[in-house]
């Protein structure tokens, strides 16, 4: 599966951005809804960390973004979104889209990855 992110950029603290992730090359006969999908981010000099993930009716968020970020997905058109509101300078990172067969493997970073998109929040 190929994942392609877009929507990153520069935003002031308190502002909003929406990231998109398009999935292609999904194995035939396997609907996208059967995959867990989500977002990670990696700040300079730090390890990649889980941000949000969803499979079927189960959605999880990192505590640092809960209440500010919201993910959604359109499995028919194979697009996933991360809506980021009330952004903070500490949200500055490269954001990666990911997909995996289960939430368990997804949150452990064991899925497929996009190339990442830079998000910078100025104070």
């Amino acid at each position: 599966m190929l994942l392609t992110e877009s929507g990153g950029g520069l935003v002031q603290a308190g502002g909003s951005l929406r990231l998109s992730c398009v999935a292609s090359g999904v194995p035939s006969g396997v609907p996208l809804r059967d995959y867990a999908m989500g977002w990670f981010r990696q700040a300079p000099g730090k390890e990649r960390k889980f941000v949000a993930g969803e499979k079927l009716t189960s959605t999880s968020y990192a505590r640092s973004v809960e209440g500010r970020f919201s993910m959604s997905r359109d499995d028919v058109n194979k697009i996933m979104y991360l809506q980021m509101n009330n952004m903070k300078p500490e949200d500055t990172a490269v954001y990666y889209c990911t997909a995996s067969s289960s939430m368990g493997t997804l949150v452990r970073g064991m899925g497929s990855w996009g190339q990442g998109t830079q998000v910078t929040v100025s104070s």
Side-chain angles (χ1 to χ4, degrees):
M1 184 187 306
L2 179 66
L3 302 170
T4 306
E5 305 94 336
S6 62
L10 174 65
V11 63
Q12 288 189 330
S16 299
L17 273 179
R18 188 177 78 159
L19 304 182
S20 300
C21 173
V22 176
S24 59
V26 180
S28 60
V30 183
L32 191 63
R33 66 174 181 271
D34 285 357
Y35 288 87
M37 297 190 72
W39 297 89
F40 277 65
R41 66 186 181 186
Q42 187 167 20
K46 297 188 177 181
E47 63 181 19
R48 195 173 297 187
K49 291 187 176 180
F50 173 79
V51 173
E54 180 178 296
K55 182 173 181 180
L56 299 177
T57 59
S58 175
T59 307
S60 296
Y61 295 94
R63 285 187 181 180
S64 59
V65 306
E66 205 155 19
R68 300 187 299 120
F69 290 13
S70 176
M71 68 169 285
S72 60
R73 50 192 289 182
D74 177 350
D75 291 331
V76 172
N77 293 301
K78 299 182 175 58
I79 302 175
M80 178 176 65
Y81 302 100
L82 182 67
Q83 178 67 43
M84 304 184 291
N85 298 326
N86 189 23
M87 298 186 72
K88 304 175 181 180
E90 51 264 42
D91 294 323
T92 295
V94 177
Y95 283 71
Y96 296 90
C97 170
T98 182
S100 189
S101 58
S102 72
M103 280 291 283
T105 52
L106 183 133
V107 299
R108 292 199 297 272
M110 298 170 63
S112 301
W113 296 97
Q115 83 287 351
T117 185
Q118 176 69 48
V119 171
T120 303
V121 185
S122 63
S123 57

